[in-house]
Amino acid sequence: MDDGPTREVIHMGFVGDSIGPSRARERFLEGGLVEGGVRDLILSSWQRSVLLGLSPDQTELPYREDIDLDGRLVHAAGPVLDWLQSRFAGLRMNVALADASGTVLQRRFGLASMARQLAPIQSVPGFVFSEEAAGTNGIGIALAERRLCQVHGAEHFAERSQSNACSAIPVRDLLSGGIEGILSLGCPRTDVDPMMDTVIREAAKAIERRLLAEHSARERGLLSAYLDARRHVRAGAATGGNGQLIPVDELVHSGLNRRDQTVLKEKAAELISSAQRAGVEVSLSNGRRVVLLSRVVTSASGVVGVAVEAVLADDSPGQRPAGLVHPGAPLTPTAQEAVTPVVLPPGRPADAAPLWTAHAETYADTGAQARRTTTRTAEPAGAPGSVDNGTGGMADGRLVLLGEPGVGMHAVAARQRLELLSEASSRIGTTLDVPRTARELAEMAVPRLADFVTIDLPEAVLRGEESADPRTDLHRRVIHGIRDDCPFYALGERVDLRPATPQLRCLADGQAVLEPDLRVTAGWLSQDPEHTARLLGYGLRSLITAPLLARGVVLGIVSFYRTRERTPFGDDDRSLAQELATRAAVCIDNARRYTREHSMVLALQRSLLPHRLPEQDAVEVAHRYLPAESGVGGDWFDVIPLSGTRVALVVGDVVGHGLHAAVTMGRLRIAARNFAELDLAPDEVLTQLDNLVGRLDREEGSEEPGADGTGIIGATCLYAIYDPTTQQCTLARASHPPPALVHPDGTVTFPDLPAGPPLGLGGLPFETAEIHVPEGSRLVLYTDGLIEDRHRDIDTALDQLRDALARSGPSPEDTCRAVVDAVVPDHPADDIALLVARTQTLDPDRVATWDLPADPARVSGMRADVTRRLTDWGLDEAVFSAELLLSELVTNAIRHAGGPLQVRVIHGGTLIFEVSDTSSTAPRLRHAASTDEGGRGLFLVAQLAQAWGTRYTAGGKVIWAECALDVPAGIPAAAAIDWDDIPDIA
């Protein structure tokens, strides 16, 4: 078929809001865009009609002469059609009954004259009104959509029907669920009555009830034939033998529980579906065994059915039905397992056991009346072990189930559908992962419902979002089937569907679409002719496609395929597929929502973690953060530069998961940075964090008492300060795993640190420990998610960590990689933070120290010493600023602190000046008034240095100032300095 530009426009079928059906139809047939006034149902049918090559001016329809005008559908519908004719007497109403192919079987008219006035197409049975033959019309759409449909005026594809309106509805077999035919009501479009839909629904239900009653009548005839066969054989009783023959009603009501009764009836239904003489042995829960035997029965009207009887068996060899089990063989079938029926020969086998009645039956059908001839074997009546129970060759059980083979198959299919739905409830949605949940749907359906399943999902759904237009954002995400070589679109490939395809029709209607025969499905065939030809050549024959729709959100499309080796899909299969898709869609939507929330929380947490670690001279750092599979936790890490080229290394873990833990983690990280800026010792930082966690817990508990149980239970933390000038590391921990220390020679130790209480417990002190860390050592800080896993012992995890660190390369990045590969669990239940710091040491030649008494006369000599040292370092341009800074810092210490002083200058990435004294009083920056004689010194320090501050020591404090070396250090503009404030100290 030509798929040129004009035809492509037709396939687009945009729906707007400005025109009615008549104008929309004109535009459609002209190849223009349909902008409104036509329903999606009609538009899809128009598109299929065009794809089928139909013409709007077509006047002829196929005519069949071989229709069955006296079939069971016509027989059941006759009285209903007569009632409809009387109901519409005097009205211009045309009542039609069509079969499952769309061929009209019966016509009734409200006005008798209509039969003479209307064209034969509208008045004579035998014409075919399927969509493939007649285009868009009531009967055709009802067959295609398999539901009640209305077509009015210009919505008809054919010109001849533009003046008419009709409603059509499928008539189903209530046992099988399949469509038996179509009931249609037609009238001039000006005579449409809103009650037409109500009347046609009731009429269809009445026909369906009569079809069901006919089934009952047929079964009553089978039962009569069964009983008649028993009456034609002389009565007798079973004697001797170990096999006990009892009526099934006694069996059912004498100790059988409901489960055993259900098992017997299910096995009986399977035997009926086999439509032959057969038997199975079923083990009951109480240890007894029951043999079910099936026999063919023909009623007086010629209906062929199957009767199933029950016989209670035992373990004695020779007392089992021949052909079921060999004498003395163990009884293997169980009530839980499907037992394949063993077909029994029509005559008496040579090794037949007495339990199987020694009668051979022949059935001769003489017209409408079935004649049975029963021949008795030569075995004498009443002989030991003989059976003669007056059943005409029937086993001496009583009837368990009787019916036509089709009914038996429907019963088995219904049971299997219920089992499939029950199992789907537990097998679909085991995880909160969208692709995995979709895969579970496919695995659930193959092979019990379909041979192949494909699932197409929008990219947005995989990200946890709602797709703006799922019709244009579909990608193949699942292909699953009985074989792996079916030529579907590849996984990950974009799937662009045309509106006429069953897949987009199911999205438009929100209901599953059934295509029993893909070879005549125009919309599917036209999607990609080469591709669909390959699929047909592979053997695909039948399709059900259903939307994955949950809570009003379209999540994708699932397509179920059967091959030519299996029975095509029916309406019951469509209902089952719809139910499976609906259940799976809810699970997929849950996974999508979880993915969205998880992504949001993960993005929040990552935004709260360091994006770029600060530059510093103390350590070389690498890090990893690994979120848990099941959710985001509260693990965090940080690297904080401190005064004097020191650095703080922090790792923490907030108890719990989710948004609350992530937000709390962010609070604690910011708080730890603030406390670190105060140059507090590790134990003091943990004390402050402990108070903060306790305060937050109390505040949240008071605001939302018992709301959701998300209060902060606590947190753990490890805080370490490393000084590259002394190679000393001071650590404190709050119930956190101790760090690992990898020495330069590869030796791995776990320093013994005081554990400390968790943060938030309150009232208990924290202790510090100090360790020597040689240059080139690696400090490894981590959270408990790295070593705690329910599938391995913590000691095993620590051994794995030790081995990984010992084998890893010297760089922090190599160490992180080795630890992640060797120690991280395959499916981490908790998130993991890992921080590796390789220590560096500042060259002693780049640190200068002077001890001074509290004597102003020594200041000038100290300035000269500093000048010489800066000159040695090649920092002549920093001399003037250094003299100003040190003069101010030392003068303030002499004036306000007293006692011995120590001056230290450090040449690292920056130039650092430190003055230590014995006082615990810290200076503070203030703006001096114009009349003040002093108070401007610290202002000068703040102008000259890029940072300055105070830190406390055991013997007093240190005032420090830091100057950058990337630009020449110098004084700011002269107007910013009060030169009169510079002390004149000789």
Side-chain angles (χ1 to χ4, degrees):
M1 179 176 290
D2 180 17
D3 287 325
T6 302
R7 183 59 48 82
E8 185 66 32
V9 169
I10 291 176
H11 288 331
M12 292 173 66
F14 292 162
V15 178
D17 56 1
S18 60
I19 60 175
S22 180
R23 181 58 185 145
R25 180 175 177 276
E26 292 178 9
R27 288 190 181 181
F28 177 82
L29 295 176
E30 292 170 357
L33 301 181
V34 178
E35 298 177 350
V38 62
R39 294 173 288 155
D40 290 340
L41 177 79
I42 301 300
L43 180 59
S44 296
S45 181
W46 286 354
Q47 292 165 338
R48 294 194 297 270
S49 300
V50 170
L51 292 173
L52 288 165
L54 300 177
S55 173
D57 56 5
Q58 178 183 2
T59 58
E60 300 296 329
L61 290 179
Y63 179 78
R64 291 178 51 190
E65 297 181 353
D66 59 342
I67 58 175
D68 185 2
L69 297 179
D70 195 29
R72 56 189 298 267
L73 176 61
V74 174
H75 184 266
V80 179
L81 297 178
D82 293 341
W83 175 81
L84 287 173
Q85 183 175 10
S86 63
R87 170 69 172 76
F88 295 118
L91 302 177
R92 294 183 296 176
M93 184 67 68
N94 187 340
V95 181
L97 177 71
D99 63 16
S101 68
T103 304
V104 175
L105 303 178
Q106 292 285 303
R107 291 278 190 181
R108 297 287 193 277
F109 303 97
L111 286 175
S113 60
M114 294 178 63
R116 299 185 298 272
Q117 298 171 356
L118 293 175
I121 288 178
Q122 295 177 301
S123 59
V124 178
F127 286 96
V128 181
F129 282 84
S130 64
E131 194 178 63
E132 292 81 2
T136 305
N137 71 94
I139 292 175
I141 292 188
L143 276 175
E145 300 294 335
R146 312 182 82 81
R147 58 189 173 95
L148 173 64
C149 299
Q150 304 85 19
V151 183
H152 301 278
E155 292 180 336
H156 288 87
F157 185 75
E159 297 284 356
R160 65 175 182 273
S161 304
Q162 298 294 295
S163 60
N164 298 327
C166 67
S167 293
I169 189 172
V171 176
R172 301 179 183 274
D173 186 325
L174 295 179
L175 286 176
S176 68
I179 293 178
E180 290 288 314
I182 301 292
L183 181 64
S184 173
L185 300 180
C187 65
R189 63 184 182 184
T190 56
D191 294 352
V192 173
D193 189 326
M195 291 299 296
M196 283 176 59
D197 287 350
T198 301
V199 171
I200 199 171
R201 282 195 181 96
E202 294 301 320
K205 290 180 181 178
I207 298 174
E208 290 170 349
R209 288 193 297 268
R210 289 181 56 82
L211 285 172
L212 183 62
E214 285 201 0
H215 274 295
S216 300
R218 294 158 71 93
E219 289 187 354
R220 284 195 298 270
L222 291 174
L223 179 60
S224 176
Y226 170 80
L227 296 175
D228 183 64
R230 297 169 69 99
R231 286 193 296 268
H232 279 75
V233 179
R234 64 183 181 84
T239 60
N242 293 324
Q244 184 182 4
L245 309 179
I246 62 173
V248 72
D249 53 352
E250 295 180 12
L251 180 71
V252 169
H253 297 292
S254 60
L256 286 190
N257 55 37
R258 184 178 297 276
R259 172 188 167 280
D260 287 341
Q261 296 178 37
T262 302
V263 168
L264 285 178
K265 291 179 181 178
E266 289 177 352
K267 297 303 179 184
E270 293 177 1
L271 286 174
I272 291 177
S273 68
S274 68
Q276 57 188 342
R277 292 188 58 184
V280 293
E281 191 170 58
V282 181
S283 295
L284 304 179
S285 58
N286 57 12
R288 288 187 290 180
R289 286 163 298 281
V290 172
V291 176
L292 295 181
L293 304 174
S294 64
R295 314 183 70 81
V296 178
V297 179
T298 305
S299 70
S301 61
V303 177
V304 178
V306 177
V308 179
E309 300 174 305
V311 177
L312 189 64
D314 65 9
D315 288 340
S316 302
Q319 295 299 317
R320 301 182 188 122
L324 290 177
V325 291
H326 296 292
L331 299 174
T332 56
T334 64
Q336 291 80 14
E337 298 173 338
V339 181
T340 302
V342 179
V343 180
L344 300 177
R348 182 186 181 187
D351 60 346
L355 191 64
W356 181 260
T357 53
H359 292 82
E361 296 182 314
T362 58
Y363 294 90
D365 191 353
T366 57
Q369 180 70 35
R371 178 176 56 84
R372 289 175 176 77
T373 304
T374 303
T375 58
R376 177 71 171 157
T377 63
E379 185 175 328
S386 67
V387 176
D388 186 9
N389 56 5
T391 61
M394 307 291 182
D396 198 20
R398 292 296 186 268
L399 188 64
V400 177
L401 200 63
L402 185 145
E404 297 177 68
V407 179
M409 287 186 287
H410 297 321
V412 173
R415 175 174 58 83
Q416 292 173 340
R417 286 192 292 270
L418 290 175
E419 291 175 351
L420 184 61
L421 289 176
S422 176
E423 189 175 344
S425 300
S426 60
R427 286 185 54 186
I428 299 177
T430 59
T431 67
L432 288 173
D433 179 74
V434 172
R436 178 59 199 159
T437 304
R439 180 77 181 180
E440 289 170 346
L441 168 60
E443 292 172 348
M444 188 73 246
V446 175
R448 296 164 69 177
L449 174 62
D451 294 324
F452 295 94
V453 173
T454 64
I455 300 179
D456 304 324
L457 302 175
E459 287 287 335
V461 172
L462 299 179
R463 299 191 301 267
E465 304 167 3
E466 295 182 15
S467 177
D469 186 359
R471 297 172 300 177
T472 60
D473 187 29
L474 290 172
H475 290 74
R476 181 61 45 85
R477 290 301 171 193
V478 174
I479 301 175
H480 184 61
I482 56 177
R483 295 185 295 273
D484 297 329
D485 57 346
C486 192
F488 291 111
Y489 291 131
L491 286 175
E493 186 174 347
R494 187 183 182 92
V495 180
D496 293 316
L497 300 172
R498 296 185 177 184
T501 58
Q503 284 81 0
L504 283 196
R505 285 167 52 202
C506 82
L507 279 188
D509 297 339
Q511 298 291 327
V513 172
L514 167 63
E515 295 292 352
D517 191 349
L518 290 174
R519 294 170 296 182
V520 296
T521 304
W524 183 80
L525 291 171
S526 66
Q527 166 65 26
D528 184 346
E530 292 183 3
H531 178 65
T532 53
R534 288 195 299 270
L535 294 177
L536 289 176
Y538 186 82
L540 298 190
R541 285 296 181 269
S542 187
L543 165 68
I544 295 176
T545 181
L548 295 171
L549 183 65
R551 304 179 180 99
V553 178
V554 176
L555 304 171
I557 300 172
V558 54
S559 298
F560 305 90
Y561 293 90
R562 279 185 182 173
T563 60
R564 55 185 168 224
E565 286 81 17
R566 292 183 64 174
T567 304
F569 286 120
D571 283 278
D572 280 349
D573 298 314
R574 183 183 66 162
S575 300
L576 176 59
Q578 177 77 56
E579 182 66 24
L580 279 177
T582 300
R583 296 190 182 196
V586 173
C587 297
I588 292 175
D589 191 49
N590 290 339
R592 178 191 67 85
R593 290 168 179 257
Y594 170 79
T595 300
R596 179 186 61 190
E597 295 177 3
H598 180 75
S599 300
M600 291 172 57
V601 175
L602 186 59
L604 171 64
Q605 186 186 45
R606 292 193 182 278
S607 70
L608 296 174
L609 291 172
H611 294 281
R612 185 174 60 86
L613 296 180
E615 296 181 1
Q616 37 76 38
D617 300 325
V619 292
E620 179 188 352
V621 177
H623 58 86
R624 294 288 189 276
Y625 172 75
L626 304 174
E629 280 194 349
S630 58
V632 175
D635 289 13
W636 55 283
F637 63 91
D638 211 344
V639 178
I640 309 171
L642 301 177
S643 64
T645 68
R646 299 171 306 143
V647 66
L649 306 173
V650 193
V651 170
D653 183 4
V654 176
V655 176
H657 292 84
L659 182 63
H660 186 267
V663 171
T664 303
M665 174 273 292
R667 289 177 171 180
L668 292 185
R669 176 175 174 255
I670 294 172
R673 270 193 164 271
N674 292 335
F675 296 141
E677 292 292 337
L678 298 176
D679 260 325
L680 300 178
D683 58 332
E684 294 176 353
V685 171
L686 294 184
T687 299
Q688 296 297 330
L689 292 176
D690 180 49
N691 294 334
L692 174 63
V693 171
R695 185 163 59 253
L696 291 175
D697 200 9
R698 290 190 298 272
E699 290 174 356
E700 295 193 4
S702 61
E703 292 175 1
E704 302 177 8
D708 56 3
T710 56
I712 304 173
I713 300 175
T716 66
C717 184
L718 172 62
Y719 192 94
I721 296 178
Y722 172 70
D723 188 344
T725 64
T726 63
Q727 299 183 8
Q728 294 297 112
C729 184
T730 306
L731 307 96
R733 63 186 179 117
S735 193
H736 197 88
L741 177 60
V742 186
H743 295 267
D745 62 357
T747 305
V748 180
T749 61
F750 294 91
D752 186 14
L753 306 180
L759 298 179
L761 191 61
L764 298 176
F766 297 94
E767 300 180 51
T768 61
E770 191 169 284
I771 60 175
H772 179 72
V773 183
E775 182 180 6
S777 300
R778 283 166 285 161
L779 273 170
V780 181
L781 287 68
Y782 51 89
T783 55
D784 58 2
L786 179 67
I787 57 175
E788 293 184 2
D789 181 38
R790 61 184 178 182
H791 300 298
R792 83 184 158 187
D793 186 74
I794 189 171
D795 292 332
T796 302
L798 288 173
D799 290 340
Q800 292 175 345
L801 177 60
R802 186 191 305 272
D803 294 341
L805 293 174
R807 295 193 307 268
S808 64
S811 73
E813 194 62 40
D814 291 340
T815 304
C816 281
R817 189 179 303 111
V819 170
V820 169
D821 292 342
V823 187
V824 172
D826 294 334
H827 304 283
D830 194 7
D831 51 347
I832 299 170
L834 175 65
L835 183 65
V836 179
R838 184 170 66 178
T839 61
Q840 300 173 354
T841 301
L842 199 62
D843 189 342
D845 292 338
R846 300 172 75 89
V847 180
T849 305
W850 296 271
D851 293 320
L852 299 175
D855 182 3
R858 298 291 301 273
V859 175
S860 59
M862 182 273 302
R863 284 203 301 254
D865 292 339
V866 170
T867 298
R868 284 191 298 270
R869 181 56 62 94
L870 293 180
T871 300
D872 294 340
W873 289 341
L875 302 176
D876 297 294
E877 295 179 352
V879 169
F880 183 69
S881 297
E883 290 181 345
L884 289 177
L885 280 171
L886 283 174
S887 295
E888 179 59 37
L889 294 176
V890 173
T891 301
N892 279 342
I894 293 174
R895 181 178 300 171
H896 300 291
L901 307 178
Q902 186 182 74
V903 176
R904 188 169 72 157
V905 180
I906 303 173
H907 180 201
T910 59
L911 191 59
I912 302 171
F913 305 94
E914 295 182 347
V915 177
S916 304
D917 59 50
T918 57
S919 172
S920 59
T921 303
R924 60 188 180 86
L925 182 66
R926 68 183 180 88
H927 293 277
S930 59
T931 56
D932 292 343
E933 294 183 0
R936 298 177 179 87
L938 286 180
F939 180 74
L940 177 62
V941 171
Q943 292 293 315
L944 292 173
Q946 71 174 9
W948 73 279
T950 304
R951 72 173 180 268
Y952 293 92
T953 64
K957 69 177 182 296
V958 176
I959 308 297
W960 58 271
E962 182 176 328
C963 296
L965 293 178
D966 53 350
V967 294
I971 62 175
I977 300 177
D978 186 354
W979 294 97
D980 294 334
D981 193 51
I982 298 177
D984 184 13
I985 301 177

